[in-house]
Amino acid sequence: MAKKIVILNGSPRRNGNTSALVKRFTEGAESAGNTVTEFFLDNMDINGCKGCFGGHSSRACPCVQKDDMSQIYPAVKDCDVIVLATPLYYWNMSGQIRTAVDRLFALEEGDGNLLRGHGRACALLMAAEGNGFDDVLLYFNHLMEHLQWNNLGAVLAGGNGDVGDIAGKPELEQAYELGRTIQ
């Protein structure tokens, strides 16, 4: 059965190494009949969470803030799989993706939890100059536990300092295969 997949792309480079992983993942997922919606977060106006606990999950825009998260909330509510795609910045995910993930909390607030559980799954795609993925994997695994999502795993591509360094590397094929196996 075809799945609805949402990709949160936290790279600031539309044609960078992380985006190359996203492209290959998307090709694999679509070849399996899935529908993929990508949000390129760097071009979106997304403010940080205010910690106000004013969200209401059942509203069309569950957060009290009115910004581009209003485009992401309905897609996340309706999806089967979420892919977090990010470069490794200072041993963690980029600020773009961390801000969006924080704001997803509004879907857990108010009159119904529309984020945690619901049979969703998640994968992580990362490109980095180095190979220091341990802290990100710890966070990602804890996030999957908290959200009660099926952890589909991660494609971690180290050794990519410059744009285009990922070309021809096996992680691109791993991203394709991960997308293709989602059914």
Side-chain angles (χ1 to χ4, degrees):
M1 176 189 270
K3 302 286 185 188
K4 293 179 183 174
I5 300 171
V6 168
I7 299 174
L8 300 180
N9 185 343
S11 176
R13 298 177 181 157
R14 188 170 292 281
N15 296 308
N17 296 310
T18 299
S19 292
L21 288 171
V22 167
K23 181 179 180 195
R24 287 299 287 155
F25 174 89
T26 299
E27 290 168 357
E30 289 176 342
S31 77
N34 298 305
T35 303
V36 178
T37 302
E38 178 185 354
F39 293 97
F40 188 74
L41 302 174
D42 195 61
N43 285 357
M44 299 179 80
D45 177 29
I46 300 174
N47 300 308
C49 180
K50 303 280 186 203
C52 69
F53 294 96
H56 291 278
S57 58
S58 62
R59 290 184 190 157
C61 184
C63 184
V64 298
Q65 297 187 73
K66 304 304 178 215
D67 59 15
D68 288 342
M69 281 299 293
S70 64
Q71 299 169 42
I72 295 173
Y73 290 127
V76 168
K77 285 183 193 180
D78 194 38
C79 79
D80 304 295
V81 177
I82 297 172
V83 176
L84 304 179
T86 177
L88 180 69
Y89 282 175
Y90 222 64
W91 300 278
N92 208 322
M93 296 180 181
S94 71
Q96 291 89 330
I97 200 162
R98 290 174 58 190
T99 299
V101 168
D102 283 352
R103 290 285 300 285
L104 289 177
F105 179 66
L107 290 171
E108 288 195 69
E109 294 182 296
D111 40 4
N113 184 339
L114 298 179
L115 187 65
R116 193 177 317 170
H118 300 281
R120 287 196 185 94
C122 188
L124 174 66
L125 303 176
M126 286 192 89
E129 182 176 351
N131 290 287
F133 297 107
D134 291 347
D135 291 341
V136 172
L137 286 175
L138 181 66
Y139 168 76
F140 179 73
N141 291 332
H142 283 346
L143 185 64
M144 294 305 96
E145 263 182 59
H146 169 76
L147 294 174
Q148 300 168 6
W149 292 350
N150 182 25
N151 185 340
L152 299 176
V155 176
L156 308 172
N160 301 294
D162 294 322
V163 172
D165 280 355
I166 200 167
K169 291 193 176 175
E171 290 87 358
L172 290 173
E173 199 55 34
Q174 291 169 16
Y176 178 88
E177 286 302 315
L178 179 58
R180 189 184 63 73
T181 60
I182 296 174
Q183 298 177 9

